[in-house]
C-alpha cells in the first residue's frame, strides 16, 4: 500500500484538526468544563493509524532515537493559529531573546520563547543591584531594561523568522498608547509568532496604578491591543491582587486569546547590615519554586472562569510541576527561574512529558489537563473566597 | 561557552575561610582566559535556585585542571567546601570578557584587594608565559589574610599592604601604586569597590599619560576607538574586574548590571573586565553582593 506523502508544517498555519477550536476565541463561559479546556489541544496529527488503541498493539516501526517523542502528540493550540509543537515555553526575562543560550541549549526544541519585555522606547532599567537569591527563589528588579521595539526587531526579527521555535514578544508599557504602539510595530513582522502583554506595569495615565490590578484598565489595554493586531494575544496576569477571577474574566472577554499566570510576586530583601533595602529599586519580583503554590492556586482559579487557554508560570523545576499545572487546568507551562540553574531543563521537560504520556498510553497530553479541577459546577473553590483569612 | 561536568580533584583551605579547589575540566582549561568565570551549580539543597559565579583562578591546558578560589560566605559556598575529591559538579563556562593585554606591554602592574587576587591569578600565569614582567600588589586587613607567596610563581614581584601594618606596607594597597605607575605599561585590578574607585581616580588624574597608550606612538595617540570595544580596552592603562549579583550569567536576564558611562553594562557579558573609563564610578557606589 502506498502512503500518501504528507507535509507537516509548523508555525502559524493551523494544522488540520477535527474539532479543535481555532479562529476567533471561544466565548467566555462562567464555568467551562474540563472538556472545553481540552479542546485547546490540537487533535493528534497525522491521525493515529486505525486499530486497537491499546499500548501493546501500537504500530511497530523502526526504533526512534531518544524518548518516544515522535509517537506522542504534544502540540497545543493557544488560539488564533498559534500552534506550538509542545507546551513547554520559556518565560519572559529568563531567556533573553533566545540567542543567549543557543550555545548550550537546542532552543529549536522548545515549545515557544517569550522574549524579554519590550517597550516602545529604549529603557535603561533600574539601578543595581537587581537580583538576589531568596529561600527557594529569587528577587529581581530589572526594570524592563530593553533597547526598544525598533532595535529588538532590527537585531532579532530576521533570526527569529528562520527559527522553528515560535517567538512570542513580551510587551510592556506605561500607557495604552505605549502597548498599542509596540504591537502595531510587531504586527505582520515575519518571525513574530505572538504577543504576550505584561500588564504588571504602572499605568502612568491612571496615577501609577498597575494595569494588572485594575479590572477595567486590564480589559481596556487588552481591547486596545486586540484592535491593533491580528497576532495571537496572551495576557500575563499578576498574582498581586486580592481576587484574580474577575480580572481574568474581563481580560478574556476583552479579546485575549490566552492567559499566562503568573508574573512575579512583589517582595523585598534587606542589605546584609540591615541598613536598608538590598535591591536598587527597593522592591523586586519573587520567582522560583517559592511561588509555585500561589501560582497553582491562581491557575486553578483562572482555569475555572475563562474559556481560553491558560499558560502556567511559577517555579517549574521538573515534570511533577508541569503535571501539577496541567492538572490544575493549564494547557502549557513556562519555565523561568529554573533555567538559570539548569538551562537544558525546558528541552528535557519536553522529552519527559512525551515519555510520561507514552508510559500512560496516551496519544496526546490532553487527558492530563484539568484532572484536578472540580467536577461539579459551582464547587466551593469556583465561587468563594472561603480559604482566605 | 559550554556546560561541563567537572570533577573535584583537590580542595583545601588556603586562608581562614578561603578555599582553593582544583577541578578536572579539560574543556574549560583549554578555553579559559584570564578574567573569565564559570557559573557553578550548587547542590539541590535548602532551596538554592541560582548558580554561583567564580572567576577561573588558574587553568592548565596540559592537565585539564582549573582551580577556583573563593570565600565561604553562604550556603552555596559552604556546600562547595563539603565536596569530596571525585565528586562532580556542573559548570557553565568560560563566560565573560577577560583581561585584554596589549601585545606591546612588557610591564604589568596587578593590584589585588583580598579575594580579588582570584581574578588576577591566571593573568599572572599568562603574562609570565608571554615573557612579561609582573608586579603584584596585594592588600588585605592583617597578616592572617595575606595571600601565600607559595601560590605564586617565583618570577612575580610581590608586595603586600595591610591595614594594620602587620605585614608589609601599613595602609592601603593603592598607596603602593605610586611607586610603579611610571614603570607599568598596563595595570589590572580587582578588589573592593573603594579600592577600584581610588585607582580609577588616580589613573583618570594622569589624563592618559601613562602606560601602553603612549608607547610607540606619535603625539596625539592613534585613531579613536569606541568605548568598551576590545581595542579600547587593550589601550586602556587600567582594566578592572567587577562583580555583581548574577542570575543567568549569559546575558539574558540583565540582572548583573553595573552602571557605565554609556548606561547599564552586564557584568556577565560586557564584563566582568572593564576599562576604568567605561564605568560610572559615582553611580556604581551602591553596588554590592549578597552573601551567597
Amino acid at each position: 500500500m502506498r502512503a500518501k506523502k504528507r507535509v507537516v508544517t509548523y508555525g502559524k498555519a493551523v494544522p488540520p484538526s477535527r474539532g479543535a477550536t481555532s479562529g476567533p476565541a471561544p466565548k467566555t463561559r462562567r464555568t467551562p468544563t474540563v472538556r472545553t479546556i481540552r479542546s485547546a489541544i490540537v487533535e493528534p496529527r497525522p491521525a493515529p493509524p486505525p486499530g486497537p488503541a491499546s499500548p501493546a498493539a501500537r504500530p511497530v516501526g523502526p526504533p526512534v532515537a531518544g524518548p518516544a517523542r515522535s509517537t506522542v502528540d504534544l502540540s497545543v493550540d493557544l488560539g488564533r493559529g498559534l500552534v506550538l509543537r509542545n507546551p513547554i515555553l520559556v518565560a519572559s526575562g529568563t531567556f533573553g531573546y533566545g540567542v543567549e543560550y543557543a550555545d548550550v541549549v537546542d532552543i529549536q526544541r522548545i515549545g515557544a520563547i517569550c522574549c524579554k519585555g519590550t517597550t516602545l522606547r529604549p529603557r535603561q532599567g533600574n539601578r543595581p543591584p537587581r537580583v538576589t537569591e531568596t529561600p527557594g527563589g529569587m528577587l529581581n528588579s530589572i526594570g524592563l531594561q530593553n533597547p526598544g521595539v525598533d532595535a529588538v526587531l532590527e537585531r532579532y526579527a530576521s533570526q527569529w523568522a528562520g527559527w522553528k521555535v515560535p517567538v512570542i514578544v513580551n510587551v510592556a508599557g506605561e500607557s495604552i498608547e505605549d502597548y498599542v504602539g509596540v504591537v502595531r510595530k510587531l504586527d505582520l513582522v515575519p518571525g513574530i509568532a505572538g504577543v504576550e502583554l505584561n500588564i504588571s506595569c504602572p499605568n502612568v495615565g491612571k496615577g501609577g496604578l498597575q494595569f494588572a490590578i485594575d479590572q477595567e484598565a486590564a480589559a481596556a489595554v487588552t481591547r486596545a491591543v486586540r484592535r491593533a493586531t491580528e497576532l495571537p494575544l496572551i495576557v500575563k496576569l499578576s498574582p498581586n491582587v486580592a481576587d484574580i477571577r474577575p480580572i481574568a474574566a474581563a481580560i478574556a472577554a476583552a479579546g485575549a486569546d490566552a492567559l499566562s499566570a503568573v508574573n512575579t510576586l512583589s517582595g523585598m530583601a534587606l542589605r546584609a547590615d540591615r541598613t536598608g533595602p538590598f535591591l536598587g529599586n527597593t522592591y523586586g519580583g519573587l520567582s522560583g519554586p517559592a511561588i509555585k503554590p500561589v501560582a497553582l492556586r491562581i491557575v486553578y482559579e483562572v482555569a475555572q472562569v475563562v474559556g481560553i487557554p491558560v499558560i502556567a508560570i511559577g517555579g517549574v523545576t521538573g515534570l511533577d510541576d508541569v503535571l501539577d499545572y496541567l492538572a490544575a487546568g493549564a494547557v502549557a507551562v513556562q519555565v523561568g527561574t529554573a533555567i538559570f540553574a539548569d538551562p537544558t531543563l525546558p528541552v528535557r521537560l519536553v522529552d519527559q512529558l512525551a515519555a510520561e504520556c507514552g508510559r500512560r498510553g496516551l496519544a496526546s497530553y490532553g487527558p492530563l489537563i484539568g484532572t484536578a479541577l472540580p467536577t461539579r459546577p459551582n464547587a466551593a473553590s469556583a465561587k468563594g473566597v472561603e480559604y482566605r483569612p | 561557552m559550554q556546560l561541563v561536568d567537572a570533577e573535584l580533584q583537590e580542595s583545601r583551605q588556603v586562608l581562614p575561610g578561603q578555599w582553593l579547589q582544583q577541578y578536572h575540566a579539560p574543556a574549560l582549561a583549554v578555553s579559559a582566559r584570564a578574567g573569565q568565570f564559570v557559573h557553578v551549580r550548587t547542590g539541590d539543597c535548602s532551596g538554592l535556585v541560582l548558580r554561583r559565579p567564580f572567576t577561573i583562578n588558574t587553568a592548565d591546558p596540559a592537565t585539564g585542571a582549573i582551580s577556583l578560589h573563593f570565600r565561604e560566605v553562604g550556603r552555596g559556598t559552604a556546600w562547595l567546601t563539603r565536596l569530596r575529591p571525585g565528586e562532580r559538579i556542573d559548570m557553565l563556562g568560560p563566560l565573560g570578557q577577560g583581561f585584554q593585554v596589549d601585545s606591546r606591554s612588557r610591564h604589568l602592574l596587578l593590584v589585588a584587594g583580598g579575594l580579588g587576587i582570584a581574578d588576577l591569578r591566571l593573568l599572572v600565569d599568562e603574562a609570565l608565559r608571554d615573557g612579561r614582567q609582573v608586579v603584584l600588589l596585594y592588600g588585605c586587613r592583617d597578616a592572617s589574610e595575606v595571600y601565600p607567596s607559595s601560590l605564586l610563581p617565583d618570577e612575580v614581584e610581590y608586595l603586600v599592604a595591610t591595614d594594620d601594618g602587620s605585614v608589609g606596607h601599613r595602609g592601603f594597597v593603592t598607596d603602593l601604586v605610586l611607586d610603579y605607575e611610571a614603570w607599568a605599561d598596563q595595570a589590572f585590578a580587582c578588589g573592593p569597590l573603594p579600592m577600584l574607585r581610588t585607582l580609577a581616580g588616580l589613573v583618570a588624574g594622569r589624563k592618559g599619560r601613562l602606560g601602553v597608550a603612549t608607547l610607540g606612538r606619535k603625539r596625539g595617540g592613534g585613531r579613536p576607538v569606541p568605548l568598551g570595544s576590545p581595542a579600547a580596552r587593550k589601550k586602556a592603562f587600567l582594566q578592572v574586574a567587577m562583580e555583581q549579583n548574577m542570575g543567568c550569567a549569559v546575558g539574558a536576564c540583565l540582572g548583573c548590571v553595573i552602571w557605565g558611562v554609556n548606561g547599564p553594562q552586564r557584568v556577565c557579558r560586557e564584563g566582568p573586565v572593564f576599562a576604568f573609563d567605561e564605568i560610572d564610578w559615582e553611580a556604581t557606589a551602591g553596588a554590592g553582593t549578597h552573601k551567597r
Side-chain angles (χ1 to χ4, degrees), chain A residues 22-90:
Chain A
S22 59
K27 287 213 173 77
T28 311
R29 295 184 201 170
R30 288 303 303 162
T31 52
T33 60
V34 175
R35 195 174 47 78
T36 318
I37 298 162
R38 256 185 215 162
S39 69
I41 296 296
V42 179
E43 293 294 317
R45 90 200 121 68
S54 75
R58 271 210 232 118
V60 183
V64 281
R69 58 175 187 237
S70 58
T71 57
V72 178
D73 180 38
L74 294 183
S75 64
V76 52
D77 186 349
L78 296 179
R80 211 165 285 256
L82 179 59
V83 179
L84 314 183
R85 283 180 301 156
N86 64 67
I88 309 294
L89 295 80
V90 288

Side-chain angles (χ1 to χ4, degrees), chain A residues 303-366:
Chain A
Q304 294 177 65
V305 297
V306 299
I308 57 179
V310 178
I311 304 164
I313 321 168
V316 173
T317 59
L319 182 65
D320 282 341
D321 301 317
V322 176
L323 297 176
D324 281 356
Y325 279 125
L326 294 178
V331 302
V333 299
Q334 293 185 11
V335 186
T337 305
I339 292 169
F340 297 155
D342 189 0
T344 60
L345 177 68
V347 172
R348 286 207 319 278
L349 287 177
V350 174
D351 291 337
Q352 288 172 5
L353 181 60
E356 177 69 13
C357 291
R359 197 178 63 74
R360 299 189 190 202
L362 301 174
S364 87
Y365 74 98

Side-chain angles (χ1 to χ4, degrees), chain A residues 93 95-96 100-101 103-104 116 124-133 136-138 142 145 270 278 289 340-342 344, chain B residues 1-3 41 47-52 92 244-248 250-255 257 259 263-264 283 288 290:
Chain A
F95 216 70
E100 289 84 352
Y101 274 109
D103 280 0
V104 289
K116 173 76 191 152
Q124 293 207 324
N126 292 329
R127 293 276 155 172
R130 291 175 170 183
V131 295
T132 186
E133 194 175 44
M138 69 178 282
I142 310 299
Q145 182 187 336
L270 300 182
F278 175 77
F340 297 155
D342 189 0
T344 60
Chain B
M1 164 174 76
Q2 49 189 311
L3 278 166
R41 188 173 185 192
L48 306 179
V49 302
L50 295 177
R51 287 173 180 251
R52 268 76 179 147
L92 179 65
Q244 181 61 277
N245 269 15
M246 217 168 259
C248 69
V250 301
C253 76
L254 311 182
V257 303
W259 227 255
H290 236 174

